[in-house]
Amino acid sequence: MNDPIMLEVFKNKLSAIAEEMGVLLQRTAFSPNIKERKDFSCAIFDNKGRLVSQAAHIPVHLGSMPLSVKSALELVNFEEGDAVILNDPYRGGTHLPDITLVSPVFIEGKPAFFVANRAHHADVGGISSGSMPLSSSIFQEGLVIPPVKLIEKGKIKKEIIQIIKSNTRTPEEREGDLFAQISANLTGIKRLKELVSNYSLQTVLQYMEALNDYSEKMMRNRIKQIPDGTYTFHDYIEDDGLGNKDIKISVEITVSKNDVSLDFTKSSPQTQGSVNAVRAITVSAVYYVFRSLIKRDIPTNDGCFKPINVITKKGTVVDCTYPFPVSAGNVETSQRIVDVVLGALSKAIPEEIPAASQGTMNNLTIGGINPETGRPFTYYETIGGGMGASSISDGESAIQSHMTNTLNTPVEAVEFEYPFMVERYCIRKGSGGDGLLRGGDGIIRSIKLLTDAEITVISERRRIPPYGLFGGKPGEVGRNEVIHRGRKIIEAGKFSRKLKKGDTITIYTPGGGGYGKPTP
């Protein structure tokens, strides 16, 4: 019989271990993307690769990190002191900049648990700085790392580090971030061993299983509150950056008692550009939506997702096949999958679902040579926008939403680390959709280059606005603006170009949709 007090104790202890891993990763990382923006996730798994606890980090990693762990378990024979590195999207990854490190926790000579973390590296090679190119193949996006041992029996394999460093524009930064990931896993291993020492392996495993059962019960109770039926919705990715437009994302949600099935098979075929999502991304987006429907503080673990069945079709934009490009699928298509799932659920539980948020991460990468050091630099950032209004409140303004949970890079950090001047950073007033309750406003961020550089922008909602609900107006679309040699250029949602010293890139991010008919 499980003690309910001890169940709560273990819930918080396991969560605290994952959170502590994240704190150490952030504080020891080299790149602003990790140490300032917190673009990473940390989690604990059982010896079968099932998710036990994940810190409240990046939602897009929610369903994909377990697949990376299971892939590592299938392909590698773990020994004590090992750590496996991978980023392959077709083996549980998301896109190539997201590098995952998996480490076993040996107890009594056997792997009892696994700890893992995933961090977005600012550059892993590829045809453009920042490894977020307008690509037509995964080979153009950077170095693909299958599950291989980075650490073997406690000894770091320096040749693996050297291969990674030799394929990136910023080798010292990559090495520093990898060592931060190693340190985070070592902390997780240490804390889990202390937990077993204090309570016994049998007790820890007992309460891990009990927490899984508890989360499953809570999810089934939540699904049961959604009226039985079938609900459909579709929306579009505007383009893939290579001329293909209006790429459909479609879902059919069937709720039956305390189970739910989501069918994405009517979505568009995989496309030439990089907006393709591997199945892991689609699963992550679905899990995020349903986890967010539960207002109580329950553990995020494998049990949460047992009642949820995700159906995809190979060769579609939501379940692409090797070697199609995927760099934007992780950041942009994931957002649209959330939009369509929420849109369908709004027909079932209208008072509990918000209007569309900005629906994009406004990815900006800039790379060049730093004139002060003579070394290459790569800058990567996602920029917040407006959240959709709900039945109880206006949408939040100038915030990261849905599948990203990162912070912004502070102006001071940007100007300290890079040859940039941030000329403008403010709320984009009035960009939220009107309604009984208004959508949140977007952001204006303007960066002046102090050296020649190559920029790439991957963004959405530049043509099709974030939808309002129940009479609410859509949010305003975003805009990408370049001033090149004194001439203003309105760019497409996805573009890459070389700029000169003194040129400026300004991103106007979308507002969120409104909710309900505006009052006269």
Side-chain angles (χ1 to χ4, degrees):
M1 188 71 178
N2 295 314
D3 182 344
I5 295 176
M6 288 300 293
L7 193 69
E8 183 70 14
V9 167
F10 273 94
K11 182 192 84 170
N12 286 287
K13 282 184 174 293
L14 292 167
S15 177
I17 292 171
E19 293 285 355
E20 184 181 356
M21 290 171 63
V23 170
L24 190 137
L25 175 53
Q26 179 193 6
R27 291 187 175 181
T28 56
F30 277 37
S31 66
N33 192 54
I34 297 174
K35 68 183 179 183
E36 299 285 357
R37 296 186 62 245
K38 299 178 68 174
D39 196 347
F40 60 80
S41 290
C42 300
I44 301 168
F45 302 82
D46 67 13
N47 62 0
K48 296 178 182 177
R50 297 184 303 170
L51 180 64
V52 170
S53 180
Q54 178 167 334
H57 291 149
I58 308 297
V60 79
H61 298 161
L62 191 57
S64 54
M65 253 214 300
L67 295 177
S68 287
V69 174
K70 289 177 181 178
S71 179
L73 282 169
E74 290 171 2
L75 297 172
V76 178
N77 179 33
F78 279 94
E79 298 180 271
E80 189 162 10
D82 289 352
V84 165
I85 188 172
L86 71 150
N87 72 346
D88 190 344
Y90 294 98
R91 289 187 172 97
T94 48
H95 59 178
L96 298 183
D98 281 345
I99 295 180
T100 303
L101 194 71
V102 183
S103 302
V105 183
F106 272 72
I107 307 291
E108 300 172 358
K110 295 180 180 180
F113 321 105
F114 289 86
V115 293
N117 68 73
R118 173 173 289 169
H120 183 118
H121 287 247
D123 188 88
V124 290
I127 60 174
S128 67
S129 299
S131 310
M132 294 286 291
L134 302 183
S135 51
S136 59
S137 165
I138 195 170
F139 305 118
Q140 298 174 343
E141 297 180 345
L143 177 67
V144 181
I145 308 170
V148 294
K149 289 185 181 181
L150 178 64
I151 304 176
E152 190 166 23
K153 296 181 180 180
K155 186 176 180 181
I156 295 174
K157 299 175 75 173
K158 294 182 180 178
E159 62 271 24
I160 301 295
I161 297 279
Q162 194 58 45
I163 288 171
I164 295 170
K165 289 174 64 178
S166 297
N167 282 275
T168 176
R169 297 165 177 85
T170 49
E172 290 79 13
E173 189 177 86
R174 299 288 66 72
E175 184 175 36
D177 287 346
L178 286 172
F179 278 112
Q181 289 187 260
I182 292 170
S183 298
N185 276 12
L186 290 174
T187 297
I189 293 168
K190 179 180 179 181
R191 294 293 181 251
L192 281 167
K193 286 185 174 182
E194 290 173 352
L195 194 66
V196 169
S197 177
N198 290 336
Y199 292 96
S200 83
L201 178 60
Q202 181 181 352
T203 301
V204 173
L205 292 174
Q206 173 188 337
Y207 280 98
M208 281 183 172
E209 196 65 38
L211 286 168
N212 264 301
D213 292 343
Y214 169 69
S215 292
E216 180 182 357
K217 180 180 178 181
M218 295 300 294
M219 181 60 76
R220 289 194 182 278
N221 287 342
R222 184 65 188 88
I223 293 171
K224 191 181 290 186
Q225 296 168 15
I226 303 173
D228 284 1
T230 298
Y231 310 96
T232 62
F233 198 86
H234 69 268
D235 203 342
Y236 296 91
I237 294 290
E238 293 171 336
D239 68 273
D240 67 351
L242 297 179
N244 300 293
K245 295 184 178 181
D246 295 337
I247 300 157
K248 186 178 182 181
I249 310 291
S250 176
V251 71
E252 182 177 280
I253 301 178
T254 301
V255 180
S256 178
K257 297 181 180 178
N258 60 5
D259 288 286
V260 62
S261 178
L262 297 96
D263 186 343
F264 291 91
T265 56
K266 293 180 181 178
S267 298
S268 289
Q270 58 196 8
T271 186
Q272 182 184 6
S274 65
V275 297
N276 303 295
V278 293
R279 177 177 161 82
I281 295 296
T282 303
V283 170
S284 292
V286 170
Y287 286 175
Y288 158 75
V289 171
F290 279 87
R291 176 63 185 85
S292 67
L293 292 177
I294 299 178
K295 298 175 182 177
R296 296 182 64 177
D297 182 23
I298 70 167
T300 300
N301 56 32
D302 187 72
C304 285
F305 312 124
K306 282 185 178 179
I308 304 169
N309 180 33
V310 180
I311 303 167
T312 58
K313 182 180 178 182
K314 282 289 181 187
T316 61
V317 71
V318 296
D319 188 358
C320 64
T321 57
Y322 179 86
F324 274 76
V326 298
S327 61
N330 175 58
V331 289
E332 297 302 298
T333 307
S334 65
Q335 296 282 62
R336 195 64 69 256
I337 294 168
V338 170
D339 287 344
V340 301
V341 173
L342 288 173
L345 288 173
S346 72
K347 300 176 181 180
I349 44 176
E351 293 185 356
E352 299 181 54
I353 302 298
S357 295
Q358 68 160 337
T360 177
M361 296 192 197
N362 305 292
N363 305 268
L364 172 62
T365 56
I366 307 176
I369 303 297
N370 192 322
E372 291 187 4
T373 64
R375 294 182 177 181
F377 68 88
T378 54
Y379 162 85
Y380 172 72
E381 175 133 44
T382 63
I383 305 173
M387 288 194 73
S390 69
S391 63
I392 58 173
S393 69
D394 295 336
E396 293 285 346
S397 295
I399 193 169
Q400 303 277 5
S401 57
H402 294 324
M403 296 306 284
T404 179
N405 191 33
T406 59
L407 302 177
N408 72 311
T409 307
V411 171
E412 297 84 353
V414 171
E415 295 185 339
F416 177 78
E417 293 278 354
Y418 303 104
F420 304 157
M421 179 185 294
V422 179
E423 291 192 320
R424 193 178 181 193
Y425 189 34
C426 61
I427 292 176
R428 189 184 176 199
K429 297 289 187 181
S431 56
D434 196 10
L436 183 64
L437 293 153
R438 285 191 59 86
D441 291 332
I443 287 175
I444 302 172
R445 190 164 173 97
S446 184
I447 295 175
K448 182 177 182 178
L449 303 179
L450 303 182
T451 187
D452 295 353
E454 173 190 31
I455 68 168
T456 302
V457 173
I458 303 287
S459 61
E460 276 284 317
R461 297 299 195 194
R462 267 47 183 176
R463 181 167 55 86
I464 303 172
Y467 59 78
L469 283 179
F470 311 112
K473 301 297 182 182
E476 193 167 324
V477 296
R479 186 168 82 252
N480 304 323
E481 183 180 288
V482 165
I483 296 179
H484 177 52
R485 298 185 185 274
R487 184 169 64 95
K488 182 189 293 188
I489 305 167
I490 304 300
E491 296 281 6
K494 300 170 185 67
F495 74 95
S496 185
R497 68 156 54 232
K498 293 182 179 179
L499 295 180
K500 293 292 185 180
K501 178 180 178 180
D503 290 349
T504 301
I505 170 70
T506 303
I507 307 294
Y508 298 78
T509 72
Y515 188 102
K517 291 183 179 180
T519 53

